[in-house]
Amino acid sequence: MIARSLFLSLAALFFSVQAHADTRLRLQDDQPGPTIHKNVYGQFAEHLGRGIYGGVWVGESSRIPNTRGFRNDVVQALKELQVPVVRWPGGCYADQYHWRDGIGPRSERKKTINVNWGDVVEDNSFGTHEFFELVEMLGADAYVNINVGTGTPGEMMEWIEYMTSASDSTLANLRRKNGRAKPWRVHYLGIGNETWGCGGSMSPQHYSDVYRQFATFVKTPADNRPIIVASGGNNEETVWTQQLIDSVKESWTLRMDGIAHHYYTIPTGSWERKGFALGFPESEWFSAFFQTLRIRGFLESNVRVLDAKDPKKKVGFFVDEWGTWYDSAEGASQANLYQQNSLRDALVAALNFHVFHDFAERVRMTNIAQMVNVLQAMILTDGQSMLLTPTYHAFHMYRPFQGARHVRAQLRDVPDYRVGNRRIPKVSATAGIGKDGKLYLGLINTHPSQAERVQVSAARSLAKASGRLLSGSALDAHNTFAAPNQIRPTPVELTGSGGQLQVELPPRSVLVVALE
Ligand code: AHR
């Protein structure tokens, strides 16, 4: 009896090994699709914890090497990342922010209380001029989020005039007096943030009226018209998208160019006990991916709502906050949202990129939360020290996808990665034809311990591939200030055969290669 069941289980094992052929991937590079907007790789920087102060801005008198108050090390790293757009000043903070507090001589700026994030005193030394100086240094687009919760359309109008007017008006002259002659270019203007929550606890109906009122007064010179972004829903909600697309009708006085959705990845799926950034069990490695991949369904359902009313795809669907959110570890608090960042975060980021690429026609901007020292950050700082996180490396590896033409990547015979009764695909793939004309491929192996062989074919013959691989010795492999290069990408060169390419994808890895 024992011998028989042993025989049966060995036979089952043999069969399952035999049954799994290699994963096959076919790239339709002869039929490139829509352009992946560069701003899909956008960032978010809020006055929260050490996101701005200590992270980006240290002030001119700091001992930390800086240029006019901006940390040299952080700015240099962000330049290398080719950050395409930065959203500022929040988040929840946007709805308490009064722009006049942040202009003029720094020593005379008002001190306010950041009631959203720990009641810390905000000295307003980073304001409008500093924000635009930062985005100009980075060569990034500016995404300014307007205060709707405690602001007025009048306050917004005056800020817009201050930022964009080339006239002889009092506000334009005040900007000149404060050191900026030329108007700034405002690429995006967000009308409120999470208006269902910290932005005012509004209903979708009420907010759509408020949106119409505010958006009517977005008055700028014709050559400096921002993309106007409505604040939408979160997670699986479509009611905000539905309400906004139904009630905001474009006219000569009113526009809505995008709706901004939020979705955070919480490994356990519960805000009460989210899970930790490091030292987590395999079940939370898996569930972080499981939870993050739910975004595909949320995008599908919202895009369906938009397609029914806006078939010409005029209105973009933006995800202007996304990323992992863990329980506060030692040294961190709910008020500063500082968290470590591991290999798992890099895979979460890359999985999201792949989904965003699939919705390239509608999803034309996303902003990971947040750029430095907050939530799923690119960079962590501690006094003089700085480290690049695995998420930074993922963004860096995927740079060629900014502005690339999307290429359909058809996967076949992908095994499941299962934990309990839930499963996700072991392999995820994306492809694009970069602005340099090269065909780029991104591959992820979500499995913690098993490699996967992927047979890649394309319309063109594939002779070789070169790029970089990110993996680590542990599920929570991460960089520390003492050991900042524990995890970083390594170069990869592959040679094709018979016009195809065979990729051995190590466990827990992300690969980006250019195919020739
Ligand atoms: O990113 C942190 C916070 O998360 C933002 O301020 C808010 O919009 C969201 O709830």
Side-chain angles (χ1 to χ4, degrees):
M1 188 64 183
I2 293 174
R4 185 169 177 270
S5 62
L6 184 65
F7 170 76
L8 285 177
S9 42
L10 281 175
L13 181 66
F14 180 70
F15 180 75
S16 73
V17 170
Q18 289 296 298
H20 174 53
D22 296 342
T23 288
R24 286 177 296 145
L25 174 62
R26 175 77 190 168
L27 305 179
Q28 295 187 342
D29 54 316
D30 51 346
Q31 300 162 48
T35 297
I36 299 164
H37 200 294
K38 69 180 171 63
N39 290 346
V40 163
Y41 286 85
Q43 300 286 331
F44 170 36
E46 179 169 15
H47 290 236
L48 195 180
R50 293 185 296 112
I52 299 285
Y53 300 111
V56 176
W57 175 259
V58 287
E60 285 159 312
S61 57
S62 172
R63 287 186 15 247
I64 298 173
N66 69 84
T67 304
R68 294 182 302 282
F70 297 93
R71 284 184 78 121
N72 292 344
D73 52 358
V74 170
V75 168
Q76 186 52 35
L78 292 173
K79 276 186 182 167
E80 280 165 25
L81 204 54
Q82 292 168 4
V83 170
V85 59
V86 184
R87 176 178 182 237
W88 172 84
C92 296
Y93 183 74
D95 283 296
Q96 70 160 102
Y97 185 63
H98 298 287
W99 68 275
R100 282 178 190 275
D101 298 343
I103 58 166
R106 287 193 198 104
S107 59
E108 292 169 25
R109 293 189 193 172
K110 198 164 157 183
K111 288 195 169 49
T112 51
I113 296 172
N114 187 334
V115 293
N116 280 286
W117 304 113
D119 287 344
V120 295
V121 173
E122 160 70 58
D123 70 4
N124 282 295
S125 52
F126 190 97
T128 303
H129 288 252
E130 290 76 17
F131 169 65
F132 279 100
E133 189 168 354
L134 175 66
V135 289
E136 287 186 348
M137 277 193 289
L138 300 180
D141 290 353
Y143 178 3
V144 174
N145 212 109
I146 290 297
N147 178 350
V148 164
T150 62
T152 63
E155 185 184 1
M156 175 195 74
M157 270 188 93
E158 290 184 348
W159 196 10
I160 292 172
E161 183 182 326
Y162 185 85
M163 293 186 284
T164 65
S165 177
S167 76
D168 190 29
S169 77
T170 303
L171 284 170
N173 283 327
L174 181 59
R175 184 193 68 235
R176 292 186 188 101
K177 184 173 155 234
N178 287 332
R180 173 71 181 200
K182 265 194 338 185
W184 291 293
R185 177 84 180 87
V186 180
H187 297 84
Y188 295 85
L189 199 77
I191 309 294
N193 169 75
E194 294 193 354
T195 51
W196 39 266
C198 65
S201 306
M202 301 178 202
S203 68
Q205 293 76 8
H206 180 66
Y207 172 67
S208 59
D209 287 344
V210 170
Y211 175 85
R212 289 206 302 268
Q213 184 190 5
F214 272 74
T216 302
F217 294 101
V218 176
K219 305 289 185 200
T220 64
D223 60 354
N224 199 352
R225 287 228 169 95
I227 290 171
I228 310 179
V229 186
S231 167
N234 90 128
N235 300 349
E236 64 268 50
E237 284 174 343
T238 54
V239 57
W240 290 77
T241 307
Q242 187 74 60
Q243 176 68 37
L244 284 160
I245 199 74
D246 282 345
S247 65
V248 183
K249 301 287 170 221
E250 183 158 333
S251 69
W252 68 276
T253 48
L254 181 61
R255 279 186 299 133
M256 179 176 72
D257 305 314
I259 298 175
H261 197 78
H262 291 179
Y263 178 53
Y264 283 99
T265 298
I266 297 158
T268 62
S270 152
W271 283 97
E272 282 68 49
R273 210 215 124 244
K274 298 183 267 300
F276 290 111
L278 303 177
F280 47 80
E282 189 200 325
S283 59
E284 288 179 21
W285 163 269
F286 170 87
S287 61
F289 304 149
F290 182 87
Q291 293 292 348
T292 220
L293 287 170
R294 295 175 67 208
I295 199 168
R296 181 179 290 281
F298 305 159
L299 294 178
E300 261 161 17
S301 50
N302 278 283
V303 163
R304 207 175 305 124
V305 169
L306 289 180
D307 283 350
K309 292 283 163 63
D310 174 37
K312 291 194 177 147
K313 303 191 192 321
K314 209 198 128 286
V315 178
F317 193 71
F318 306 145
V319 188
D320 69 3
E321 287 185 29
W322 66 274
T324 53
W325 193 321
Y326 304 123
D327 284 323
S328 310
E330 207 181 322
S333 75
Q334 274 312 117
N336 68 16
L337 302 185
Y338 178 86
Q339 63 190 33
Q340 250 293 3
N341 190 294
S342 75
L343 175 63
R344 179 178 64 172
D345 294 83
L347 268 71
V348 164
L351 286 169
N352 278 278
F353 301 155
H354 292 196
V355 176
F356 296 151
H357 294 174
D358 289 344
F359 290 88
E361 281 189 312
R362 206 52 102 162
V363 178
R364 304 193 281 256
M365 177 170 64
T366 87
N367 310 79
I368 190 167
Q370 298 192 8
M371 195 158 72
V372 186
N373 286 335
V374 176
L375 296 176
Q376 191 177 347
M378 311 302 108
I379 294 174
L380 301 177
T381 67
D382 181 16
Q384 300 250 6
S385 308
M386 178 199 86
L387 65 80
L388 306 177
T389 66
T391 299
Y392 176 97
H393 293 306
F395 270 77
H396 199 276
M397 288 164 69
Y398 278 80
R399 286 179 316 172
F401 286 94
Q402 292 188 23
R405 294 281 303 278
H406 184 233
V407 165
R408 249 186 105 201
Q410 279 183 305
L411 279 165
R412 296 249 158 78
D413 303 324
V414 185
D416 286 337
Y417 167 30
R418 291 170 183 260
V419 169
N421 57 6
R422 298 193 300 185
R423 59 186 172 171
I424 59 170
K426 181 177 172 187
V427 175
S428 170
T430 196
I433 297 176
K435 287 196 288 189
D436 56 6
K438 289 187 185 165
L439 176 58
Y440 287 91
L441 169 65
L443 280 172
I444 304 166
N445 181 355
T446 58
H447 202 282
S449 55
Q450 291 172 10
E452 179 68 14
R453 184 177 300 147
V454 184
Q455 304 284 357
V456 187
S457 61
R460 69 189 73 183
S461 180
L462 303 177
K464 62 176 187 166
S466 53
R468 289 182 299 163
L469 177 87
L470 188 70
S471 187
S473 53
L475 300 187
D476 69 348
H478 60 281
N479 292 328
T480 64
F481 296 106
N485 289 315
Q486 291 287 103
I487 160 164
R488 60 177 171 174
T490 50
V492 169
E493 299 283 341
L494 302 167
T495 312
S497 141
Q500 294 207 353
L501 201 72
Q502 184 171 297
V503 181
E504 298 287 342
L505 207 51
R508 50 180 192 284
S509 66
V510 183
L511 174 82
V512 176
V513 282
L515 305 171
E516 287 171 54

